[in-house]
């Protein structure tokens, strides 16, 4: 894949990807200074949905457009320069013209995505200032014009970096926190299994499970990922599902009390055979079935015999509790007990070819796009 893909661990000593940390060049990120925003260009690049993929996402699904920036903002609007974009498995569902928890992305519409940026023009009648760090649903574009109510100002807590607002302090962290707290209702001493464990959500679930005193079994797709989960994140056991003997190895570990599932399909069907009495399954995602028609489950009768439950959930339902979760997660970042890794893809133009990595296991940790704004851009 012709991408400049790099991984960044904020807990490591290598800050090469946090460019501009000691610089005051206009437009660069500096942990100790405000942004000095350059003037916006006359036009900008955006990527829109061209056709709905029927299976795997291909290059024909999107097209790039260059359009003019509005000459004037309406009252209550702000202009944001987008620096980082989140890539998430849920985005595959947004491409389908089907009933869901949010409307589908329409043909010709900018591809929906959460992002981080800075305010270039705070407009009239807003509380923002030029240079404010902000987050919102900016989409795949270099600049975004939004209502002020759709943009949130970011205040970096101790121990956090800007990218954490797309990871542990963003939807990934909230999903892990509330899925584990509310749906799994995990108790000390229980056995927690996490599928998709090396991804953005799964890697946080593993660590939060350990913090709750559980035995954590992680499932991932490579030996390298399994080593990371055990040695760096503290999973009690990590199994490579691509190994022909992984199910046999799992059976030797016993039964589970809670299953945080990001994969669905055959993985979920197998885990249904490994339930303890009263087990809880948090159905967070089903990346194995997003690009195909699901085959259905055959082992669901164990839900009856083991008086177990399976429940889907959407993180937006917990929005009124985000502040509680963010405060606790920020504390873990500050004391260094919560680790995170970012897989960075350079350039907005590479977002369409990076998105399928989520379904092939091509990323470890949180997958993000760095919007480069042309040669020489630093954040």
């Amino acid at each position: 894949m012709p991408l400049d893909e790099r991984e960044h661990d904020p807990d490591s000593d290598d800050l090469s990807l946090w460019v501009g940390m000691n610089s005051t060049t206009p437009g660069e990120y500096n942990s100790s200074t405000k942004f000095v925003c350059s003037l916006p260009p006359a036009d900008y690049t955006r990527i829109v949905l061209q056709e709905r993929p029927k299976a795997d996402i291909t290059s024909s699904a999107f097209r790039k457009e260059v359009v003019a920036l509005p000459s004037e903002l309406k009252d209550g609007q702000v202009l944001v320069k987008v620096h980082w974009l989140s890539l998430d498995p849920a985005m595959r569902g947004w491409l389908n013209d089907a009933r869901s928890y949010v409307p589908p992305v329409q043909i010709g519409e900018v591809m929906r995505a959460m992002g981080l940026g800075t305010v270039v023009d705070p407009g009239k009648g807003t509380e923002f200032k030029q240079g404010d760090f902000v987050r919102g649903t900016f989409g795949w574009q270099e600049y975004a014009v939004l209502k002020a109510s759709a943009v949130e100002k970011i205040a970096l807590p101790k121990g956090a970096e800007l990218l954490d607002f797309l990871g542990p302090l963003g939807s990934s962290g909230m999903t892990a926190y509330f899925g584990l707290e509310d749906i799994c209702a995990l108790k000390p001493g229980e056995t927690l299994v996490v599928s998709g464990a090396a991804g953005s959500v799964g890697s946080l679930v593993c660590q939060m499970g350990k913090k709750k005193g559980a035995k954590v079994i992680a499932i991932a797709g490579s030996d390298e990922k399994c080593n990371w989960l055990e040695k760096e994140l503290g999973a009690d056991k990590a199994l490579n599902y691509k190994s022909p003997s992984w199910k046999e190895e799992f059976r030797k570990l016993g039964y589970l009390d809670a299953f945080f599932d990001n994969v669905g399909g055959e993985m979920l069907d197998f885990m249904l055979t490994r339930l303890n009495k009263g087990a809880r399954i948090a159905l967070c995602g089903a990346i194995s079935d997003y690009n195909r028609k699901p085959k259905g489950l055959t082992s669901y009768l164990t839900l009856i015999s083991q008086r177990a439950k399976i429940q889907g959930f959407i993180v937006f339902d917990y929005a009124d509790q985000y502040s509680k979760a963010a405060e606790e997660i920020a504390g873990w970042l500050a004391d260094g007990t919560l680790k995170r890794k970012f897989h960075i893809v350079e350039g907005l133009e590479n977002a369409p070819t990076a998105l399928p990595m989520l379904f092939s296991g091509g990323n470890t940790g949180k997958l993000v796009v760095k919007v480069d704004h042309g040669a020489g851009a630093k954040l």
Side-chain angles (χ1 to χ4, degrees):
M1 183 179 296
L3 304 181
D4 180 7
E5 299 162 6
R6 301 182 288 182
E7 291 185 357
H8 172 54
D9 184 346
D11 294 322
S12 73
D13 294 328
D14 180 11
L15 294 178
S16 61
L17 292 182
W18 290 105
V19 289
M21 293 291 274
N22 298 307
S23 171
T24 56
T25 302
E28 291 189 350
Y29 172 54
N30 186 311
S31 61
S32 60
T33 65
K34 298 282 286 183
F35 256 102
V36 180
C37 294
S38 56
L39 291 175
D43 49 37
Y44 67 102
T45 298
R46 66 184 187 185
I47 297 176
V48 304
L49 181 63
Q50 179 167 264
E51 64 181 28
R52 300 193 185 280
K54 293 180 173 60
D56 293 337
I57 300 172
T58 64
S59 58
S60 63
F62 302 98
R63 71 171 183 270
K64 183 173 74 171
E65 297 181 344
V66 177
V67 296
L69 276 172
S71 58
E72 187 175 352
L73 298 178
K74 298 178 181 178
D75 287 356
Q77 288 185 330
V78 295
L79 174 63
V80 175
K81 184 176 184 179
V82 182
H83 299 295
W84 297 99
L85 290 167
S86 175
L87 297 183
D88 301 286
M91 296 168 77
R92 179 62 185 86
W94 300 344
L95 301 179
N96 297 331
D97 190 10
R99 176 173 174 258
S100 188
Y101 60 96
V102 292
V105 178
Q106 298 301 311
I107 301 296
E109 185 178 358
V110 173
M111 180 58 195
R112 184 185 299 139
M114 292 297 298
L116 306 174
T118 51
V119 174
V120 175
D121 187 342
K124 299 176 182 178
T126 79
E127 297 181 356
F128 293 101
K129 297 179 181 178
Q130 188 182 65
D132 282 345
F133 290 126
V134 291
R135 63 176 170 178
T137 307
F138 299 149
W140 286 2
Q141 52 189 345
E142 293 177 318
Y143 289 85
V145 176
L146 300 101
K147 294 180 180 178
S149 59
V151 179
E152 180 183 357
K153 184 176 179 179
I154 291 174
L156 290 178
K158 180 182 178 182
E161 301 286 359
L162 186 63
L163 263 184
D164 286 326
F165 285 89
L166 292 183
L169 294 174
S171 63
S172 295
M174 300 300 111
T175 300
Y177 186 96
F178 291 109
L180 207 55
E181 181 86 10
D182 189 42
I183 311 300
C184 287
L186 192 64
K187 304 177 185 66
E190 291 190 322
T191 296
L192 167 69
V193 177
V194 185
S195 65
S200 177
V201 173
S203 60
L204 296 174
V205 173
C206 289
Q207 296 176 82
M208 292 179 187
K210 291 302 298 180
K211 286 180 176 295
K212 288 183 174 291
K215 175 184 177 181
V216 175
I217 302 173
I219 313 294
S222 72
D223 291 340
E224 181 181 6
K225 290 180 178 181
C226 288
N227 289 335
W228 176 63
L229 288 162
E230 288 184 356
K231 296 177 181 179
E232 297 293 328
L233 302 192
D236 295 281
K237 184 65 177 177
L239 297 175
N240 180 356
Y241 72 87
K242 293 181 181 178
S243 167
S245 61
W246 85 270
K247 289 183 180 179
E248 181 181 344
E249 293 180 65
F250 190 96
R251 290 188 181 98
K252 294 177 181 178
L253 298 174
Y255 294 91
L256 63 91
D257 300 294
F259 177 36
F260 196 107
D261 188 23
N262 295 296
V263 174
E266 295 178 8
M267 178 72 68
L268 173 57
D269 211 34
F270 173 71
M271 292 302 169
L272 284 170
T273 70
R274 310 306 302 164
L275 303 181
N276 272 327
K277 180 182 175 181
R280 292 84 59 198
I281 300 175
L283 191 57
C284 177
I287 56 174
S288 68
D289 282 335
Y290 285 165
N291 291 319
R292 67 180 186 182
K293 184 177 180 179
K295 296 179 180 179
L297 302 174
T298 61
S299 304
Y300 63 90
L301 292 179
T302 53
L303 293 168
I304 301 172
S305 65
Q306 299 306 313
R307 289 79 105 194
K309 71 175 183 178
I310 180 170
Q311 182 177 344
F313 71 103
I314 299 296
V315 70
F316 301 150
D317 295 339
Y318 299 91
D320 61 345
Q321 302 178 59
Y322 283 176
S323 58
K324 165 200 165 186
E327 182 177 358
E328 188 166 9
I329 293 171
W332 297 332
L333 293 175
D335 64 23
T337 60
L338 187 71
K339 298 182 179 181
R340 66 280 200 214
K341 181 178 286 188
F342 297 94
H343 189 129
I344 297 174
V345 173
E346 296 275 358
L348 175 64
E349 70 280 4
N350 288 319
T353 47
L355 184 58
M357 294 170 62
L358 294 166
F359 310 104
S360 64
N363 65 295
T364 300
K366 177 65 185 177
L367 184 62
V368 297
V369 171
K370 178 183 173 185
V371 183
D372 58 17
H373 290 274
K378 296 297 183 180
L379 181 67

